Amino acid sequence: IEVQTRNVFEHITKTLAAAGATWEHVVKLNTYYCFDGDGDEVKENWTKMTKIRMQYLPNPGPCGTAVRVSGLMYDGFLIEVEAVAIITEGK
């Protein structure tokens, strides 16, 4: 999960840069993640994702929603993130 989380956030960073934005412009994150476990295992998996995420997000970060799903587009994908950024012209 750590490698996939870093890959997702690196791709978003590049996409933001191409639009003239940074993580400071992100106002909302929707995270979809796959994990087949329960109890402490879920917390451990989330902690691993959060450790990577926090390397990218400013403090305070954007509001966010996390949804645990049974599968994503391709087998083996563990995380998908949608970022919504607001860029104001002239600022």
Side-chain angles (χ1 to χ4, degrees):
I1 192 64
E2 294 98 324
V3 170
Q4 288 192 27
T5 302
R6 185 170 310 283
N7 286 343
V8 166
F9 277 79
E10 282 295 320
H11 287 295
I12 294 171
T13 299
K14 290 175 185 175
T15 301
L16 289 168
T22 68
W23 282 101
E24 296 281 339
H25 295 96
V26 175
V27 296
K28 175 79 168 105
L29 283 180
N30 295 318
T31 303
Y32 305 92
Y33 68 100
C34 295
F35 185 72
D36 187 23
D38 53 21
D40 288 340
E41 293 175 315
V42 173
K43 184 177 179 182
E44 182 180 334
N45 190 65
W46 185 256
T47 300
K48 290 176 183 179
M49 285 190 294
T50 299
K51 184 177 178 182
I52 302 300
R53 289 165 34 115
M54 296 312 293
Q55 294 173 12
Y56 294 87
L57 301 178
N59 189 10
C63 63
T65 299
V67 180
R68 188 172 166 187
V69 296
S70 61
L72 294 168
M73 181 63 180
Y74 296 106
D75 289 340
F77 278 20
L78 301 176
I79 184 169
E80 188 170 303
V81 178
E82 176 184 42
V84 177
I86 297 177
I87 304 170
T88 304
E89 298 241 359
K91 289 190 177 184

